[in-house]
């Protein structure tokens, strides 16, 4: 061990340091007080610049505790330069401190926590599923090459026909109710997050899907000739009726090969829920396409007519659900049975208000929100899907309350919806309100064998609401006395998406084509039968249904029904409760994915946040009403 060495005094403006011969370097002191060998030279060197006078203390003669000690004496020959040096140094220190404080107290741009999943790829694939579901004259530029023209005789008995739209799931039926829900939900995601869609190159893609659906919704609605009681709605094309031997359920056949009869289900004005969902879809889509004034105006015009007819409640007009009438929804009852209609009318009125700015639609929605709550089944509370729009309506009205002053007369209704929204997201975070599978998938509708569709929309609403709260500079929410952070909301939302994409006990991605392991025997007619220029009859198609081989075509982006309540999943084509996808399920997952996707870089909004959400676009047609006289 070496002690300090005294260096000769420097002259002029320099300093002089004399080094010692090589020694063993040390980096710490043991409990016994001994210096321990050092692994590095640079953590053991002591440099002493004698800027201040040395004391005459006897301790000055004590050797340094470090093995390599260098004493350097600095001689200041020009005090003016030294003062300047001190002033500049202090100024630099103050600038650094000010910068740190500025960064600390400025509004933070939200940085999503890192996620191992490629959400851009997942979004692209989830949207591609809708391309695989298109019916009618199939676009030649579609990314799905195993599909072609189909259903060109659909609605041949109807003036103008009913060609187009989407096949609902793995069968070849076209259901109007979930199609309208899908158009509404996809439109909502574009209205909120169009910056994100554009940033990843998917905006035109998703708008094409929405337009394909809204074009079809215009077809299935026949407005009245003169009175407000003669509208016609077509609720279904195709059948699963057992009285017809070959149909869309009993026959395992590609849609391109269909030759059996495809009857049409017809509804009138009493199908209030169907009318409400269609008016919501047309209204939301009109905002998406507002730059195309002619098309947007056409959508709004039809939505207004539907509202006027569906909300007219007098002796000549009976309101009800479409599945309560055999000719209208009897065929859909086993697939998409509607439990009520008031939530759809409130949902439709809310979207029509956003599309037009006409406060009479908002007045209807807020005045009838309570009645819709009373109609809501206990088992439906907290669930957003094709049969229940009340939770989503509450979120929309809360959005209005937070970001648009509509005056005192509307605050009551919007205020109650805000309470509902808080209760909703609190219930998602609670471990007591809803059960979860052992692997963490929330079970919002335990009696339903398709849990993923409900988890996806819960993820979407949670992330969307956390964005709303961040925009109003709220740090979180209070749930029964417990303060929960926005990060907890986002973590819940991401956990559900991650589960669906493979973070589950089966290590199975429930979106086809994503990850290393995903379902290969998807319950889907078009993807399971090889396109080899052969026409397979219904009987011949059964060998494809019961084959143990994987599908010849990967149905990219299809979100299957999912596992059971114990996280168990069976990849079998003839087990649709596990392997069948649907329009509604995929729409919810697209919504969750885009909400959780990272925002575009360097694009903060006017509040300095970088959330990728359009705070004011939905309000373009809305103006604060004049004060009451």
């Amino acid at each position: 061990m070496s002690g300090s060495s005294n260096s000769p005094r420097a002259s002029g403006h320099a300093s002089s340091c004399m080094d010692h011969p090589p020694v063993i370097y040390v980096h710490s002191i043991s409990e016994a007080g001994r210096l321990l060998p050092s692994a590095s030279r640079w953590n053991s060197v002591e440099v002493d610049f004698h800027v201040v006078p040395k004391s005459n203390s006897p301790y000055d003669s004590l050797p340094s505790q470090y093995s390599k000690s260098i004493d350097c004496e600095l001689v200041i020959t020009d005090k003016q330069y030294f003062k300047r040096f001190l002033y500049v140094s202090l100024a630099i220190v103050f600038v650094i401190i000010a910068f740190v404080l500025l960064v600390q107290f400025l509004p933070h741009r939200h940085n999503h926590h890192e996620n191992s999943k490629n959400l851009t790829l997942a979004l692209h694939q989830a949207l591609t599923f809708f391309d695989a579901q298109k019916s009618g004259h199939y676009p030649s530029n579609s990314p799905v090459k195993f599909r072609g023209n189909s259903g060109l005789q659909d609605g041949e008995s109807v003036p103008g026909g009913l060609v187009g739209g989407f096949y609902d799931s793995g069968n070849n039926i076209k259901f109007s109710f979930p199609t309208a829900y899908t158009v509404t939900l996809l439109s909502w995601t574009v209205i909120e997050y169009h910056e994100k869609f554009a940033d990843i190159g998917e905006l035109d893609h998703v708008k094409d899907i929405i337009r394909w659906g809204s074009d079809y919704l215009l077809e299935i609605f026949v407005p009245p000739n003169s009175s407000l009681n003669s509208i016609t709605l077509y609720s279904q094309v195709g059948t699963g009726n057992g009285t017809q031997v070959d149909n869309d359920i009993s026959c395992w056949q590609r849609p391109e090969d269909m030759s059996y009869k495809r009857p049409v289900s017809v509804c009138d004005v009493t199908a209030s829920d169907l009318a409400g969902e269609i008016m919501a879809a047309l209204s939301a889509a009109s905002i998406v396409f507002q730059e195309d004034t002619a098309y947007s105006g056409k959508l709004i015009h039809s939505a207004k007519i539907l509202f006027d007819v569906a909300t007219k409640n007098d002796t000549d007009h009976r309101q009800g659900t479409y599945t309560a009438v055999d000719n209208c929804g009897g065929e859909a009852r086993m697939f998409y049975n509607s439990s009520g209609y008031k939530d759809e009318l409130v949902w439709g009125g809310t979207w029509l208000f956003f599309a037009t700015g006409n406060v009479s639609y908002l007045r209807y929605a807020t005045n009838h929100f309570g009645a819709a709550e009373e109609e809501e089944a206990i088992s439906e509370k907290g669930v957003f899907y094709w049969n229940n729009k009340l939770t989503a309506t509450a979120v929309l009205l809360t959005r209005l309350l937070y970001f648009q002053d509509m005056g005192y007369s509307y605050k009551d209704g919007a205020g109650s919806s805000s309470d509902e929204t808080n209760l909703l997201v609190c219930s998602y975070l609670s471990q007591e309100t809803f059960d979860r599978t052992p692997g963490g998938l929330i079970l919002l509708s335990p009696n339903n064998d398709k849990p993923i569709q409900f988890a996806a929309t819960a993820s979407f609403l949670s992330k969307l609401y956390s964005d709303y709260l961040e925009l109003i500079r709220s740090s979180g929410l209070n749930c029964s006395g417990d303060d929960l952070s926005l990060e907890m909301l986002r973590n819940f939302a991401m956990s559900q998406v991650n589960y669906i994409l493979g973070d589950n006990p089966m290590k199975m991605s429930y979106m086809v084509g994503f990850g290393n392991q995903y379902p290969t025997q998807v319950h889907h007619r078009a993807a399971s039968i090889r396109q080899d220029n052969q026409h397979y009859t219904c009987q011949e198609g059964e060998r494809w249904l019961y084959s143990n081989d994987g599908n010849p075509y990967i149905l990219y982006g299809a979100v299957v029904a999912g596992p059971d309540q114990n996280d168990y999943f069976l990849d079998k084509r003839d087990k649709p409760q596990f392997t069948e996808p649907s329009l509604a399920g995929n729409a919810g997952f697209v919504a969750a994915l885009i909400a959780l996707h990272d925002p575009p870089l360097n694009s903060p909004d006017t509040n300095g946040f970088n959330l990728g959400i359009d705070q004011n676009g939905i309000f373009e047609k809305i103006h604060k009403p004049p004060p009451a006289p």
Side-chain angles (χ1 to χ4, degrees):
M1 182 168 66
S2 68
S4 299
S5 63
N6 293 323
S7 304
R9 183 177 299 272
S11 62
H13 298 281
S15 62
S16 174
C17 301
M18 183 178 292
D19 209 358
H20 273 278
V23 295
I24 298 175
Y25 296 99
V26 296
H27 69 280
S28 63
I29 302 176
S30 71
E31 291 181 355
R34 296 198 310 270
L35 298 175
L36 303 178
S38 173
S40 169
R41 172 177 182 174
W42 300 110
N43 61 5
S44 61
V45 176
E46 179 189 67
V47 179
D48 184 12
F49 290 102
H50 295 292
V51 178
V52 296
K54 295 185 67 173
S55 73
N56 296 321
S57 167
Y59 296 106
D60 290 341
S61 61
L62 291 177
S64 169
Q65 62 179 330
Y66 300 98
S67 63
K68 185 70 173 178
S69 182
I70 302 170
D71 289 347
C72 300
E73 294 183 3
L74 180 65
V75 178
I76 301 171
T77 60
D78 191 324
K79 290 184 179 181
Q80 188 67 25
Y81 284 128
F82 182 68
K83 286 181 181 180
R84 290 178 183 176
F85 167 76
L86 288 178
Y87 293 150
V88 170
S89 300
L90 288 173
I92 293 173
V93 170
F94 284 131
V95 168
I96 293 173
I97 293 173
F99 177 78
V100 171
L101 292 174
L102 189 65
V103 170
Q104 181 67 28
F105 291 104
L106 274 178
H108 293 287
R109 296 180 184 179
H110 176 62
N111 237 347
H112 291 281
H113 50 280
E114 290 187 8
N115 181 50
S116 59
K117 309 299 182 187
N118 185 339
L119 298 190
T120 301
L121 175 61
L123 258 170
H124 172 71
Q125 292 183 349
L127 290 171
T128 300
F129 170 73
F130 294 98
D131 296 309
Q133 298 304 103
K134 287 180 177 178
S135 178
H137 295 280
Y138 201 72
S140 59
N141 62 346
S142 172
V144 181
K145 300 306 179 185
F146 61 84
R147 288 296 324 283
N149 294 341
S150 64
L152 300 184
Q153 282 73 48
D154 283 353
E156 56 187 353
S157 61
V158 172
L162 298 174
V163 175
F166 298 99
Y167 299 113
D168 176 68
S169 55
N171 59 55
N172 298 334
I173 302 178
K174 298 192 299 192
F175 291 105
S176 301
F177 196 51
T179 294
Y181 164 81
T182 295
V183 170
T184 310
L185 183 50
L186 291 181
S187 296
W188 189 6
T189 67
V190 171
I191 293 166
E192 299 281 16
Y193 296 114
H194 58 86
E195 291 181 5
K196 292 186 183 182
F197 278 117
D199 185 57
I200 60 175
E202 293 290 347
L203 183 58
D204 289 340
H205 190 185
V206 68
K207 289 174 73 172
D208 169 75
I209 293 165
I210 293 169
R211 185 150 189 163
W212 191 276
S214 57
D215 281 349
Y216 182 70
L217 295 178
L218 290 173
E219 284 185 19
I220 67 170
F221 166 55
V222 180
N225 293 325
S226 56
S227 70
L228 287 179
N229 293 318
S230 60
I231 68 164
T232 300
L233 295 172
Y234 299 105
S235 63
Q236 183 177 329
V237 177
T239 181
N241 194 331
T243 60
Q244 182 176 316
V245 177
D246 290 341
N247 59 54
D248 293 283
I249 300 299
S250 65
C251 181
W252 196 262
Q253 192 176 49
R254 298 175 69 246
E256 289 79 4
D257 292 340
M258 292 184 302
S259 57
Y260 48 79
K261 291 183 178 179
R262 285 167 58 80
V264 175
S265 299
V266 185
C267 308
D268 59 19
V269 69
T270 60
S272 309
D273 47 0
L274 180 58
E277 187 59 71
I278 294 174
M279 78 172 80
L282 298 179
S283 299
S286 75
I287 302 174
V288 172
F289 300 111
Q290 59 188 344
E291 293 181 359
D292 185 345
T293 55
Y295 186 67
S296 179
K298 186 177 181 181
L299 296 172
I300 291 175
H301 177 71
S302 295
K304 286 179 176 179
I305 295 174
L306 278 169
F307 179 87
D308 290 340
V309 175
T311 59
K312 184 181 180 182
N313 192 7
D314 54 28
T315 55
D316 297 326
H317 177 199
R318 181 172 57 85
Q319 294 177 320
T321 60
Y322 85 109
T323 49
V325 180
D326 287 343
N327 292 337
C328 172
E331 278 283 314
R333 201 173 294 146
M334 71 176 89
F335 304 99
Y336 292 101
N337 188 39
S338 177
S339 61
Y341 63 88
K342 294 179 181 178
D343 61 315
E344 275 83 24
L345 291 179
V346 168
W347 173 243
T350 301
W351 276 112
L352 195 49
F353 162 68
F354 284 122
T356 64
N358 188 331
V359 294
S360 65
Y361 301 124
L362 175 63
R363 188 178 302 114
Y364 178 90
T366 54
N367 288 347
H368 289 80
F369 190 88
E373 283 185 299
E374 293 175 3
E375 184 187 63
E376 184 183 29
I378 294 177
S379 61
E380 296 275 287
K381 290 187 179 298
V383 185
F384 172 40
Y385 73 125
W386 55 264
N387 187 44
N388 186 9
K389 321 304 171 1
L390 200 59
T391 54
T393 303
V395 172
L396 276 176
L397 293 176
T398 301
R399 190 195 208 291
L400 183 67
L401 178 69
Y402 286 172
F403 304 117
Q404 189 78 8
D405 183 8
M406 291 304 298
Y408 179 79
S409 59
Y410 297 97
K411 284 186 178 178
D412 256 356
S416 64
S417 69
S418 175
D419 295 337
E420 290 294 322
T421 303
N422 278 319
L423 289 173
L424 172 71
V425 295
C426 286
S427 70
Y428 292 158
L429 297 177
S430 169
Q431 297 293 324
E432 300 176 358
T433 307
F434 295 109
D435 291 332
R436 284 168 168 75
T437 68
L441 184 69
I442 193 169
L443 297 171
L444 292 165
S445 184
N447 297 326
N448 194 295
D449 59 2
K450 298 179 180 180
I452 281 180
Q453 62 176 319
F454 311 115
T457 52
S459 173
F460 165 62
L461 292 181
S462 297
K463 177 55 171 63
L464 178 66
Y465 189 53
S466 79
D467 286 346
Y468 291 170
L469 291 176
E470 183 156 351
L471 286 172
I472 62 172
R473 289 178 167 78
S474 173
S475 60
L477 63 160
N478 186 279
C479 297
S480 301
D482 295 328
D483 291 325
L484 304 181
S485 68
L486 299 186
E487 193 65 20
M488 293 176 69
L489 268 180
R490 295 179 182 122
N491 287 342
F492 162 75
M494 188 64 80
S495 73
Q496 300 306 294
V497 164
N498 283 341
Y499 181 103
I500 296 169
L501 292 178
D503 288 354
N504 55 67
M506 297 287 291
K507 304 301 179 186
M508 173 75 72
S509 169
Y510 294 115
M511 191 176 78
V512 179
F514 189 89
N516 297 322
Q517 184 176 349
Y518 48 82
T520 61
Q521 292 192 36
V522 185
H523 184 90
H524 193 272
R525 285 158 174 77
S528 65
I529 302 175
R530 187 169 298 281
Q531 186 183 21
D532 53 8
N533 297 320
Q534 298 291 318
H535 183 281
Y536 294 99
T537 66
C538 294
Q539 291 71 31
E540 291 171 332
E542 288 193 4
R543 74 180 178 90
W544 300 97
L545 170 61
Y546 296 110
S547 169
N548 289 323
D549 296 331
N551 290 350
Y553 305 109
I554 299 176
L555 189 64
Y556 282 103
V559 179
V560 298
D564 64 15
Q565 297 182 21
N566 296 310
D567 297 306
Y568 176 72
F569 178 80
L570 188 60
D571 187 12
K572 296 291 290 183
R573 194 177 297 108
D574 60 346
K575 302 295 181 185
Q577 69 269 31
F578 293 107
T579 58
E580 186 169 30
S582 68
L583 289 178
N586 255 74
F589 196 55
V590 166
L593 287 173
I594 194 62
L596 287 164
H597 197 284
D598 286 336
L601 295 175
N602 304 318
S603 62
D605 65 13
T606 54
N607 290 321
F609 293 100
N610 188 16
L611 301 177
I613 189 171
D614 186 346
Q615 178 178 327
N616 298 312
I618 197 172
F619 302 131
E620 185 166 322
K621 297 287 184 69
I622 299 173
H623 304 283
K624 183 178 177 180

